[in-house]
């Protein structure tokens, strides 16, 4: 036990990820964020990944208006 720490102290050791894990987390987060951005902000505008189906648009419709994306 270190002489600087006291029992019950709230000091936390920092979590350091290896670079390969950090890259994986950053890439995954970026892909998920872009997919969310696409489905909320772009889908059923000029383009749609599901053709003329409106389910995705209706599911995120309130979020689209709340975030200020153009809709109708
Ligand atoms: Zn709308």
């Amino acid at each position: 036990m270190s002489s600087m720490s006291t029992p019950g102290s709230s000091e936390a050791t920092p979590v350091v990820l290896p670079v390969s894990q950090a890259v994986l987390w950053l890439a995954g987060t970026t892909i998920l964020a872009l997919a969310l951005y696409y489905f909320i902000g772009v889908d059923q505008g000029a383009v749609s990944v599901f053709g003329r189906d409106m389910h995705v648009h209706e599911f995120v419709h309130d979020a689209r208006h709340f975030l200020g994306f153009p809709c109708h």
Side-chain angles (χ1 to χ4, degrees):
M1 175 180 270
S2 168
S3 63
M4 296 296 289
S5 67
T6 57
S9 70
S10 61
E11 289 181 34
T13 57
V15 177
V16 179
L17 291 176
V19 172
S20 60
Q21 272 191 349
V23 167
L24 208 62
W25 275 104
L26 285 171
T29 303
T30 302
I31 289 169
L32 284 176
L34 286 174
L36 196 64
Y37 177 84
Y38 172 80
F39 283 118
I40 290 176
V42 180
D43 198 64
Q44 293 297 332
V47 292
S48 174
V49 290
F50 298 117
R52 297 185 65 83
D53 185 49
M54 294 294 285
H55 284 92
V56 173
H57 178 86
E58 294 300 333
F59 185 73
V60 298
H61 191 244
D62 290 345
R64 171 179 289 209
H65 280 271
F66 179 74
L67 294 171
F69 287 101
C71 185
H72 51 80

Short mmCIF file of all heavy atoms in Angstrom, two decimals:
data_model
loop_
_atom_site.label_atom_id
_atom_site.label_comp_id
_atom_site.label_asym_id
_atom_site.label_seq_id
_atom_site.Cartn_x
_atom_site.Cartn_y
_atom_site.Cartn_z
N MET A 1 0.84 -1.19 0.00
CA MET A 1 0.00 0.00 0.00
C MET A 1 0.88 1.24 0.00
O MET A 1 1.87 1.31 0.71
CB MET A 1 -0.93 -0.04 1.22
CG MET A 1 -1.76 1.22 1.38
SD MET A 1 -2.83 1.16 2.80
CE MET A 1 -4.27 0.44 2.05
N SER A 2 0.54 2.21 -0.78
CA SER A 2 1.29 3.45 -0.87
C SER A 2 1.11 4.26 0.40
O SER A 2 0.05 4.23 1.02
CB SER A 2 0.82 4.23 -2.08
OG SER A 2 1.33 5.54 -2.04
N SER A 3 2.15 4.98 0.76
CA SER A 3 2.04 5.81 1.96
C SER A 3 1.17 7.04 1.72
O SER A 3 0.72 7.66 2.66
CB SER A 3 3.44 6.23 2.42
OG SER A 3 4.03 7.04 1.42
N MET A 4 0.91 7.40 0.42
CA MET A 4 0.12 8.58 0.11
C MET A 4 -1.39 8.31 0.17
O MET A 4 -2.18 9.21 0.34
CB MET A 4 0.45 9.12 -1.28
CG MET A 4 1.87 9.61 -1.42
SD MET A 4 2.23 11.04 -0.38
CE MET A 4 1.28 12.28 -1.24
N SER A 5 -1.80 7.07 -0.04
CA SER A 5 -3.23 6.79 -0.07
C SER A 5 -3.72 6.39 1.30
O SER A 5 -3.00 5.78 2.08
CB SER A 5 -3.53 5.68 -1.07
OG SER A 5 -2.98 4.47 -0.61
N THR A 6 -4.91 6.75 1.57
CA THR A 6 -5.53 6.39 2.84
C THR A 6 -6.68 5.45 2.55
O THR A 6 -7.28 5.51 1.48
CB THR A 6 -6.07 7.64 3.56
OG1 THR A 6 -6.99 8.30 2.69
CG2 THR A 6 -4.95 8.60 3.91
N PRO A 7 -6.96 4.56 3.45
CA PRO A 7 -8.09 3.65 3.22
C PRO A 7 -9.39 4.44 3.04
O PRO A 7 -9.65 5.39 3.77
CB PRO A 7 -8.14 2.81 4.49
CG PRO A 7 -6.80 2.95 5.10
CD PRO A 7 -6.27 4.29 4.69
N GLY A 8 -10.16 4.06 2.02
CA GLY A 8 -11.43 4.74 1.77
C GLY A 8 -11.30 6.00 0.96
O GLY A 8 -12.27 6.69 0.73
N SER A 9 -10.08 6.32 0.50
CA SER A 9 -9.95 7.52 -0.32
C SER A 9 -10.57 7.28 -1.69
O SER A 9 -10.68 6.16 -2.15
CB SER A 9 -8.48 7.92 -0.48
OG SER A 9 -7.83 6.98 -1.30
N SER A 10 -10.98 8.36 -2.35
CA SER A 10 -11.69 8.22 -3.62
C SER A 10 -10.75 8.37 -4.82
O SER A 10 -11.20 8.63 -5.91
CB SER A 10 -12.81 9.26 -3.71
OG SER A 10 -12.25 10.55 -3.64
N GLU A 11 -9.45 8.24 -4.61
CA GLU A 11 -8.53 8.33 -5.74
C GLU A 11 -8.70 7.13 -6.64
O GLU A 11 -8.70 6.00 -6.18
CB GLU A 11 -7.09 8.38 -5.24
CG GLU A 11 -6.73 9.69 -4.57
CD GLU A 11 -5.27 9.69 -4.12
OE1 GLU A 11 -4.45 9.08 -4.82
OE2 GLU A 11 -4.99 10.28 -3.08
N ALA A 12 -8.85 7.38 -7.92
CA ALA A 12 -9.01 6.30 -8.88
C ALA A 12 -7.81 6.27 -9.81
O ALA A 12 -7.28 7.31 -10.19
CB ALA A 12 -10.28 6.50 -9.69
N THR A 13 -7.41 5.07 -10.15
CA THR A 13 -6.31 4.97 -11.11
C THR A 13 -6.89 5.14 -12.50
O THR A 13 -7.94 4.58 -12.81
CB THR A 13 -5.62 3.61 -11.00
OG1 THR A 13 -6.59 2.59 -11.19
CG2 THR A 13 -4.97 3.44 -9.64
N PRO A 14 -6.25 5.91 -13.37
CA PRO A 14 -6.78 6.13 -14.71
C PRO A 14 -6.75 4.86 -15.54
O PRO A 14 -5.84 4.05 -15.42
CB PRO A 14 -5.86 7.20 -15.30
CG PRO A 14 -4.62 7.13 -14.49
CD PRO A 14 -5.01 6.65 -13.13
N VAL A 15 -7.78 4.69 -16.36
CA VAL A 15 -7.85 3.54 -17.25
C VAL A 15 -7.21 3.94 -18.58
O VAL A 15 -7.63 4.89 -19.21
CB VAL A 15 -9.31 3.11 -17.49
CG1 VAL A 15 -9.37 1.96 -18.48
CG2 VAL A 15 -9.96 2.74 -16.18
N VAL A 16 -6.18 3.23 -18.95
CA VAL A 16 -5.48 3.52 -20.21
C VAL A 16 -5.69 2.35 -21.15
O VAL A 16 -5.28 1.22 -20.88
CB VAL A 16 -3.98 3.75 -19.97
CG1 VAL A 16 -3.27 4.02 -21.29
CG2 VAL A 16 -3.77 4.87 -18.98
N LEU A 17 -6.36 2.61 -22.29
CA LEU A 17 -6.60 1.57 -23.28
C LEU A 17 -5.39 1.41 -24.18
O LEU A 17 -4.74 2.39 -24.50
CB LEU A 17 -7.80 1.93 -24.15
CG LEU A 17 -9.18 1.91 -23.50
CD1 LEU A 17 -10.21 2.39 -24.50
CD2 LEU A 17 -9.52 0.53 -23.03
N PRO A 18 -5.12 0.21 -24.63
CA PRO A 18 -4.14 0.04 -25.70
C PRO A 18 -4.64 0.73 -26.96
O PRO A 18 -5.85 0.88 -27.15
CB PRO A 18 -4.07 -1.46 -25.91
CG PRO A 18 -4.76 -2.08 -24.76
CD PRO A 18 -5.66 -1.06 -24.16
N VAL A 19 -3.72 1.14 -27.82
CA VAL A 19 -4.10 1.89 -29.03
C VAL A 19 -5.06 1.09 -29.89
O VAL A 19 -6.03 1.65 -30.42
CB VAL A 19 -2.84 2.28 -29.83
CG1 VAL A 19 -3.23 2.88 -31.17
CG2 VAL A 19 -1.99 3.25 -29.03
N SER A 20 -4.86 -0.22 -30.01
CA SER A 20 -5.75 -1.02 -30.86
C SER A 20 -7.18 -1.00 -30.34
O SER A 20 -8.13 -0.90 -31.11
CB SER A 20 -5.24 -2.45 -30.96
OG SER A 20 -5.19 -3.04 -29.67
N GLN A 21 -7.34 -1.06 -29.02
CA GLN A 21 -8.69 -0.99 -28.46
C GLN A 21 -9.28 0.40 -28.60
O GLN A 21 -10.48 0.55 -28.87
CB GLN A 21 -8.67 -1.36 -26.98
CG GLN A 21 -8.81 -2.84 -26.73
CD GLN A 21 -9.06 -3.13 -25.26
OE1 GLN A 21 -8.92 -2.24 -24.42
NE2 GLN A 21 -9.43 -4.35 -24.96
N ALA A 22 -8.46 1.42 -28.45
CA ALA A 22 -8.96 2.79 -28.61
C ALA A 22 -9.44 3.03 -30.03
O ALA A 22 -10.49 3.64 -30.25
CB ALA A 22 -7.87 3.79 -28.22
N VAL A 23 -8.68 2.54 -31.00
CA VAL A 23 -9.08 2.70 -32.40
C VAL A 23 -10.39 1.97 -32.66
O VAL A 23 -11.29 2.49 -33.34
CB VAL A 23 -7.97 2.18 -33.34
CG1 VAL A 23 -8.47 2.03 -34.76
CG2 VAL A 23 -6.78 3.11 -33.30
N LEU A 24 -10.54 0.79 -32.10
CA LEU A 24 -11.78 0.03 -32.26
C LEU A 24 -12.97 0.78 -31.67
O LEU A 24 -14.03 0.89 -32.30
CB LEU A 24 -11.62 -1.34 -31.60
CG LEU A 24 -12.42 -2.48 -32.14
CD1 LEU A 24 -12.04 -2.74 -33.59
CD2 LEU A 24 -12.19 -3.72 -31.31
N TRP A 25 -12.82 1.32 -30.47
CA TRP A 25 -13.90 2.09 -29.84
C TRP A 25 -14.24 3.33 -30.63
O TRP A 25 -15.41 3.68 -30.82
CB TRP A 25 -13.53 2.45 -28.40
CG TRP A 25 -13.84 1.37 -27.43
CD1 TRP A 25 -12.95 0.51 -26.85
CD2 TRP A 25 -15.13 0.99 -26.93
NE1 TRP A 25 -13.62 -0.37 -26.02
CE2 TRP A 25 -14.94 -0.09 -26.06
CE3 TRP A 25 -16.41 1.48 -27.14
CZ2 TRP A 25 -16.01 -0.70 -25.38
CZ3 TRP A 25 -17.48 0.87 -26.47
CH2 TRP A 25 -17.26 -0.20 -25.62
N LEU A 26 -13.21 4.05 -31.08
CA LEU A 26 -13.46 5.28 -31.85
C LEU A 26 -14.14 4.97 -33.17
O LEU A 26 -15.07 5.68 -33.57
CB LEU A 26 -12.15 6.03 -32.09
CG LEU A 26 -11.58 6.75 -30.88
CD1 LEU A 26 -10.18 7.27 -31.18
CD2 LEU A 26 -12.49 7.89 -30.48
N ALA A 27 -13.70 3.92 -33.86
CA ALA A 27 -14.31 3.57 -35.14
C ALA A 27 -15.75 3.13 -34.95
O ALA A 27 -16.65 3.54 -35.70
CB ALA A 27 -13.50 2.47 -35.82
N GLY A 28 -16.01 2.31 -33.94
CA GLY A 28 -17.37 1.85 -33.67
C GLY A 28 -18.29 2.99 -33.30
O GLY A 28 -19.42 3.09 -33.79
N THR A 29 -17.80 3.89 -32.46
CA THR A 29 -18.61 5.04 -32.07
C THR A 29 -18.90 5.94 -33.26
O THR A 29 -20.02 6.44 -33.42
CB THR A 29 -17.87 5.84 -30.97
OG1 THR A 29 -17.61 4.98 -29.88
CG2 THR A 29 -18.71 7.01 -30.51
N THR A 30 -17.91 6.13 -34.11
CA THR A 30 -18.11 6.97 -35.30
C THR A 30 -19.13 6.36 -36.24
O THR A 30 -20.03 7.05 -36.74
CB THR A 30 -16.77 7.17 -36.03
OG1 THR A 30 -15.84 7.77 -35.14
CG2 THR A 30 -16.94 8.05 -37.26
N ILE A 31 -19.04 5.05 -36.47
CA ILE A 31 -19.98 4.39 -37.38
C ILE A 31 -21.41 4.46 -36.81
O ILE A 31 -22.36 4.78 -37.53
CB ILE A 31 -19.55 2.94 -37.63
CG1 ILE A 31 -18.29 2.93 -38.50
CG2 ILE A 31 -20.66 2.14 -38.29
CD1 ILE A 31 -17.61 1.59 -38.60
N LEU A 32 -21.55 4.20 -35.52
CA LEU A 32 -22.88 4.28 -34.91
C LEU A 32 -23.43 5.70 -34.95
O LEU A 32 -24.62 5.91 -35.22
CB LEU A 32 -22.84 3.77 -33.47
CG LEU A 32 -22.76 2.26 -33.31
CD1 LEU A 32 -22.62 1.90 -31.83
CD2 LEU A 32 -23.98 1.59 -33.90
N ALA A 33 -22.58 6.68 -34.68
CA ALA A 33 -23.04 8.07 -34.70
C ALA A 33 -23.46 8.50 -36.10
O ALA A 33 -24.47 9.18 -36.27
CB ALA A 33 -21.93 9.00 -34.17
N LEU A 34 -22.69 8.08 -37.11
CA LEU A 34 -23.06 8.44 -38.49
C LEU A 34 -24.35 7.75 -38.90
O LEU A 34 -25.18 8.35 -39.60
CB LEU A 34 -21.92 8.08 -39.45
CG LEU A 34 -20.71 9.01 -39.38
CD1 LEU A 34 -19.59 8.48 -40.27
CD2 LEU A 34 -21.09 10.42 -39.79
N ALA A 35 -24.55 6.50 -38.49
CA ALA A 35 -25.80 5.80 -38.83
C ALA A 35 -26.98 6.50 -38.17
O ALA A 35 -28.02 6.72 -38.80
CB ALA A 35 -25.72 4.34 -38.39
N LEU A 36 -26.83 6.89 -36.89
CA LEU A 36 -27.89 7.60 -36.19
C LEU A 36 -28.18 8.94 -36.86
O LEU A 36 -29.34 9.31 -37.07
CB LEU A 36 -27.48 7.80 -34.73
CG LEU A 36 -28.57 8.18 -33.75
CD1 LEU A 36 -29.59 7.06 -33.64
CD2 LEU A 36 -27.96 8.46 -32.39
N TYR A 37 -27.12 9.67 -37.21
CA TYR A 37 -27.28 10.95 -37.88
C TYR A 37 -28.01 10.77 -39.21
O TYR A 37 -28.90 11.55 -39.55
CB TYR A 37 -25.91 11.59 -38.12
CG TYR A 37 -25.96 12.88 -38.87
CD1 TYR A 37 -26.21 14.08 -38.21
CD2 TYR A 37 -25.76 12.92 -40.25
CE1 TYR A 37 -26.28 15.28 -38.89
CE2 TYR A 37 -25.82 14.11 -40.94
CZ TYR A 37 -26.07 15.28 -40.26
OH TYR A 37 -26.14 16.45 -40.94
N TYR A 38 -27.64 9.71 -39.95
CA TYR A 38 -28.29 9.48 -41.24
C TYR A 38 -29.78 9.19 -41.06
O TYR A 38 -30.63 9.79 -41.73
CB TYR A 38 -27.61 8.32 -41.97
CG TYR A 38 -28.37 7.93 -43.22
CD1 TYR A 38 -28.22 8.67 -44.38
CD2 TYR A 38 -29.27 6.87 -43.21
CE1 TYR A 38 -28.95 8.35 -45.52
CE2 TYR A 38 -29.98 6.54 -44.34
CZ TYR A 38 -29.83 7.29 -45.49
OH TYR A 38 -30.55 6.97 -46.60
N PHE A 39 -30.11 8.27 -40.14
CA PHE A 39 -31.51 7.87 -40.00
C PHE A 39 -32.37 8.99 -39.43
O PHE A 39 -33.55 9.10 -39.77
CB PHE A 39 -31.64 6.61 -39.15
CG PHE A 39 -31.27 5.37 -39.92
CD1 PHE A 39 -30.21 4.59 -39.52
CD2 PHE A 39 -31.98 5.00 -41.04
CE1 PHE A 39 -29.86 3.46 -40.23
CE2 PHE A 39 -31.64 3.87 -41.77
CZ PHE A 39 -30.58 3.10 -41.36
N ILE A 40 -31.81 9.83 -38.56
CA ILE A 40 -32.60 10.93 -38.02
C ILE A 40 -32.66 12.10 -39.00
O ILE A 40 -33.71 12.70 -39.21
CB ILE A 40 -32.04 11.40 -36.66
CG1 ILE A 40 -32.28 10.33 -35.61
CG2 ILE A 40 -32.67 12.71 -36.22
CD1 ILE A 40 -31.69 10.63 -34.26
N GLY A 41 -31.54 12.44 -39.62
CA GLY A 41 -31.48 13.68 -40.36
C GLY A 41 -31.63 13.58 -41.86
O GLY A 41 -32.00 14.55 -42.50
N VAL A 42 -31.34 12.43 -42.45
CA VAL A 42 -31.28 12.36 -43.91
C VAL A 42 -32.31 11.40 -44.49
O VAL A 42 -32.92 11.69 -45.51
CB VAL A 42 -29.85 11.95 -44.36
CG1 VAL A 42 -29.78 11.87 -45.87
CG2 VAL A 42 -28.82 12.91 -43.82
N ASP A 43 -32.51 10.26 -43.88
CA ASP A 43 -33.36 9.23 -44.46
C ASP A 43 -34.77 9.76 -44.72
O ASP A 43 -35.33 10.47 -43.90
CB ASP A 43 -33.44 8.02 -43.52
CG ASP A 43 -33.93 6.79 -44.24
OD1 ASP A 43 -33.24 6.33 -45.16
OD2 ASP A 43 -35.02 6.30 -43.89
N GLN A 44 -35.32 9.41 -45.87
CA GLN A 44 -36.63 9.87 -46.34
C GLN A 44 -36.61 11.31 -46.78
O GLN A 44 -37.66 11.93 -46.92
CB GLN A 44 -37.74 9.66 -45.29
CG GLN A 44 -38.03 8.23 -45.00
CD GLN A 44 -38.57 7.50 -46.21
OE1 GLN A 44 -39.20 8.09 -47.08
NE2 GLN A 44 -38.32 6.21 -46.29
N GLY A 45 -35.42 11.84 -46.99
CA GLY A 45 -35.33 13.14 -47.64
C GLY A 45 -35.24 12.88 -49.13
O GLY A 45 -36.17 12.37 -49.74
N ALA A 46 -34.10 13.17 -49.71
CA ALA A 46 -33.89 12.88 -51.12
C ALA A 46 -33.54 11.41 -51.33
O ALA A 46 -33.75 10.87 -52.41
CB ALA A 46 -32.78 13.76 -51.68
N VAL A 47 -32.99 10.78 -50.30
CA VAL A 47 -32.58 9.37 -50.43
C VAL A 47 -33.09 8.57 -49.25
O VAL A 47 -33.40 9.12 -48.20
CB VAL A 47 -31.04 9.24 -50.48
CG1 VAL A 47 -30.50 9.83 -51.77
CG2 VAL A 47 -30.40 9.88 -49.28
N SER A 48 -33.19 7.25 -49.43
CA SER A 48 -33.57 6.37 -48.34
C SER A 48 -32.99 4.99 -48.61
O SER A 48 -32.96 4.54 -49.75
CB SER A 48 -35.09 6.26 -48.23
OG SER A 48 -35.41 5.28 -47.26
N VAL A 49 -32.52 4.33 -47.55
CA VAL A 49 -31.93 3.00 -47.74
C VAL A 49 -33.02 1.94 -47.88
O VAL A 49 -32.76 0.85 -48.37
CB VAL A 49 -30.99 2.61 -46.58
CG1 VAL A 49 -29.74 3.43 -46.62
CG2 VAL A 49 -31.69 2.71 -45.25
N PHE A 50 -34.26 2.22 -47.46
CA PHE A 50 -35.32 1.21 -47.49
C PHE A 50 -36.38 1.53 -48.53
O PHE A 50 -37.55 1.18 -48.36
CB PHE A 50 -35.96 1.07 -46.12
CG PHE A 50 -35.00 0.60 -45.06
CD1 PHE A 50 -34.70 1.39 -43.98
CD2 PHE A 50 -34.40 -0.65 -45.16
CE1 PHE A 50 -33.81 0.97 -43.01
CE2 PHE A 50 -33.51 -1.08 -44.20
CZ PHE A 50 -33.21 -0.27 -43.11
N GLY A 51 -36.03 2.25 -49.58
CA GLY A 51 -36.99 2.54 -50.62
C GLY A 51 -38.06 3.49 -50.15
O GLY A 51 -37.76 4.48 -49.48
N ARG A 52 -39.32 3.19 -50.44
CA ARG A 52 -40.42 4.11 -50.10
C ARG A 52 -41.07 3.77 -48.77
O ARG A 52 -42.15 4.24 -48.47
CB ARG A 52 -41.46 4.08 -51.22
CG ARG A 52 -40.91 4.57 -52.56
CD ARG A 52 -41.99 4.65 -53.60
NE ARG A 52 -43.00 5.65 -53.27
CZ ARG A 52 -42.88 6.95 -53.51
NH1 ARG A 52 -41.80 7.41 -54.11
NH2 ARG A 52 -43.83 7.78 -53.19
N ASP A 53 -40.40 2.96 -47.95
CA ASP A 53 -40.95 2.59 -46.65
C ASP A 53 -40.79 3.75 -45.67
O ASP A 53 -39.73 4.36 -45.57
CB ASP A 53 -40.21 1.35 -46.12
CG ASP A 53 -40.82 0.86 -44.84
OD1 ASP A 53 -42.05 0.71 -44.79
OD2 ASP A 53 -40.06 0.64 -43.87
N MET A 54 -41.85 4.10 -44.93
CA MET A 54 -41.82 5.26 -44.05
C MET A 54 -41.62 4.91 -42.58
O MET A 54 -41.71 5.80 -41.72
CB MET A 54 -43.14 6.03 -44.19
CG MET A 54 -43.36 6.64 -45.56
SD MET A 54 -42.18 7.94 -45.91
CE MET A 54 -42.82 9.25 -44.88
N HIS A 55 -41.36 3.64 -42.24
CA HIS A 55 -41.28 3.26 -40.83
C HIS A 55 -40.13 3.97 -40.10
O HIS A 55 -40.32 4.45 -38.98
CB HIS A 55 -41.14 1.74 -40.71
CG HIS A 55 -42.41 1.02 -40.96
ND1 HIS A 55 -42.77 0.56 -42.21
CD2 HIS A 55 -43.43 0.69 -40.13
CE1 HIS A 55 -43.94 -0.03 -42.13
NE2 HIS A 55 -44.37 0.03 -40.88
N VAL A 56 -38.95 4.02 -40.71
CA VAL A 56 -37.81 4.67 -40.05
C VAL A 56 -38.10 6.15 -39.87
O VAL A 56 -37.88 6.72 -38.80
CB VAL A 56 -36.51 4.47 -40.87
CG1 VAL A 56 -35.37 5.29 -40.29
CG2 VAL A 56 -36.15 3.00 -40.91
N HIS A 57 -38.66 6.77 -40.90
CA HIS A 57 -38.97 8.20 -40.83
C HIS A 57 -39.97 8.48 -39.70
O HIS A 57 -39.77 9.41 -38.91
CB HIS A 57 -39.54 8.68 -42.16
CG HIS A 57 -39.93 10.11 -42.16
ND1 HIS A 57 -39.05 11.12 -42.43
CD2 HIS A 57 -41.12 10.72 -41.88
CE1 HIS A 57 -39.67 12.28 -42.33
NE2 HIS A 57 -40.92 12.08 -42.00
N GLU A 58 -41.03 7.69 -39.64
CA GLU A 58 -42.03 7.93 -38.60
C GLU A 58 -41.48 7.65 -37.21
O GLU A 58 -41.83 8.32 -36.25
CB GLU A 58 -43.27 7.06 -38.85
CG GLU A 58 -44.01 7.44 -40.12
CD GLU A 58 -44.53 8.87 -40.10
OE1 GLU A 58 -44.79 9.41 -39.01
OE2 GLU A 58 -44.66 9.45 -41.19
N PHE A 59 -40.58 6.65 -37.10
CA PHE A 59 -40.02 6.30 -35.78
C PHE A 59 -39.17 7.44 -35.22
O PHE A 59 -39.18 7.68 -34.01
CB PHE A 59 -39.20 5.01 -35.89
CG PHE A 59 -38.70 4.52 -34.58
CD1 PHE A 59 -39.56 3.94 -33.66
CD2 PHE A 59 -37.36 4.62 -34.26
CE1 PHE A 59 -39.11 3.49 -32.44
CE2 PHE A 59 -36.89 4.17 -33.04
CZ PHE A 59 -37.77 3.60 -32.14
N VAL A 60 -38.43 8.14 -36.06
CA VAL A 60 -37.54 9.20 -35.58
C VAL A 60 -38.08 10.59 -35.89
O VAL A 60 -37.37 11.57 -35.77
CB VAL A 60 -36.12 9.05 -36.19
CG1 VAL A 60 -35.48 7.75 -35.76
CG2 VAL A 60 -36.15 9.18 -37.68
N HIS A 61 -39.37 10.67 -36.24
CA HIS A 61 -39.93 11.94 -36.71
C HIS A 61 -39.85 13.04 -35.65
O HIS A 61 -39.45 14.17 -35.94
CB HIS A 61 -41.38 11.72 -37.15
CG HIS A 61 -41.95 12.89 -37.88
ND1 HIS A 61 -43.00 13.62 -37.41
CD2 HIS A 61 -41.58 13.46 -39.04
CE1 HIS A 61 -43.26 14.58 -38.26
NE2 HIS A 61 -42.43 14.52 -39.25
N ASP A 62 -40.23 12.74 -34.42
CA ASP A 62 -40.19 13.76 -33.37
C ASP A 62 -38.76 14.20 -33.08
O ASP A 62 -38.51 15.39 -32.85
CB ASP A 62 -40.85 13.25 -32.09
CG ASP A 62 -42.35 13.12 -32.25
OD1 ASP A 62 -42.90 13.67 -33.23
OD2 ASP A 62 -42.98 12.44 -31.41
N ALA A 63 -37.83 13.26 -33.08
CA ALA A 63 -36.43 13.61 -32.86
C ALA A 63 -35.93 14.51 -33.98
O ALA A 63 -35.18 15.46 -33.74
CB ALA A 63 -35.57 12.35 -32.78
N ARG A 64 -36.35 14.23 -35.19
CA ARG A 64 -35.95 15.06 -36.33
C ARG A 64 -36.41 16.50 -36.14
O ARG A 64 -35.65 17.44 -36.31
CB ARG A 64 -36.54 14.48 -37.61
CG ARG A 64 -36.37 15.34 -38.83
CD ARG A 64 -36.96 14.68 -40.02
NE ARG A 64 -36.11 13.56 -40.39
CZ ARG A 64 -35.98 13.11 -41.63
NH1 ARG A 64 -36.65 13.65 -42.59
NH2 ARG A 64 -35.18 12.11 -41.87
N HIS A 65 -37.65 16.69 -35.76
CA HIS A 65 -38.16 18.06 -35.55
C HIS A 65 -37.49 18.70 -34.35
O HIS A 65 -37.15 19.88 -34.39
CB HIS A 65 -39.67 18.04 -35.35
CG HIS A 65 -40.43 17.92 -36.63
ND1 HIS A 65 -40.81 19.02 -37.35
CD2 HIS A 65 -40.83 16.84 -37.32
CE1 HIS A 65 -41.45 18.61 -38.44
NE2 HIS A 65 -41.46 17.30 -38.45
N PHE A 66 -37.31 17.93 -33.28
CA PHE A 66 -36.70 18.47 -32.06
C PHE A 66 -35.28 18.96 -32.34
O PHE A 66 -34.86 19.98 -31.80
CB PHE A 66 -36.68 17.39 -30.97
CG PHE A 66 -36.05 17.84 -29.70
CD1 PHE A 66 -36.70 18.72 -28.86
CD2 PHE A 66 -34.79 17.39 -29.34
CE1 PHE A 66 -36.12 19.15 -27.69
CE2 PHE A 66 -34.20 17.80 -28.17
CZ PHE A 66 -34.86 18.69 -27.34
N LEU A 67 -34.54 18.24 -33.19
CA LEU A 67 -33.15 18.62 -33.47
C LEU A 67 -33.04 19.63 -34.60
O LEU A 67 -31.93 20.07 -34.92
CB LEU A 67 -32.34 17.36 -33.79
CG LEU A 67 -32.19 16.39 -32.62
CD1 LEU A 67 -31.57 15.09 -33.08
CD2 LEU A 67 -31.39 17.01 -31.51
N GLY A 68 -34.15 20.00 -35.21
CA GLY A 68 -34.13 21.07 -36.20
C GLY A 68 -33.78 20.64 -37.61
O GLY A 68 -33.47 21.49 -38.44
N PHE A 69 -33.85 19.35 -37.90
CA PHE A 69 -33.62 18.92 -39.28
C PHE A 69 -34.83 19.26 -40.12
O PHE A 69 -35.97 19.16 -39.65
CB PHE A 69 -33.37 17.40 -39.34
CG PHE A 69 -32.02 17.00 -38.81
CD1 PHE A 69 -31.90 16.47 -37.55
CD2 PHE A 69 -30.89 17.13 -39.60
CE1 PHE A 69 -30.67 16.09 -37.06
CE2 PHE A 69 -29.66 16.75 -39.13
CZ PHE A 69 -29.55 16.23 -37.85
N PRO A 70 -34.63 19.64 -41.38
CA PRO A 70 -35.77 19.93 -42.25
C PRO A 70 -36.57 18.67 -42.52
O PRO A 70 -36.00 17.60 -42.69
CB PRO A 70 -35.12 20.46 -43.53
CG PRO A 70 -33.73 19.97 -43.50
CD PRO A 70 -33.35 19.82 -42.07
N CYS A 71 -37.90 18.81 -42.54
CA CYS A 71 -38.73 17.63 -42.71
C CYS A 71 -39.86 17.89 -43.70
O CYS A 71 -39.84 17.43 -44.81
CB CYS A 71 -39.30 17.19 -41.37
SG CYS A 71 -40.22 15.66 -41.43
N HIS A 72 -40.83 18.68 -43.31
CA HIS A 72 -41.95 18.97 -44.20
C HIS A 72 -42.43 20.38 -44.00
O HIS A 72 -42.02 21.05 -43.08
CB HIS A 72 -43.10 17.99 -43.98
CG HIS A 72 -43.52 17.85 -42.54
ND1 HIS A 72 -44.32 18.72 -41.88
CD2 HIS A 72 -43.15 16.92 -41.62
CE1 HIS A 72 -44.49 18.33 -40.64
NE2 HIS A 72 -43.78 17.26 -40.43
ZN1 LIG B 1 -41.98 16.31 -39.95
#
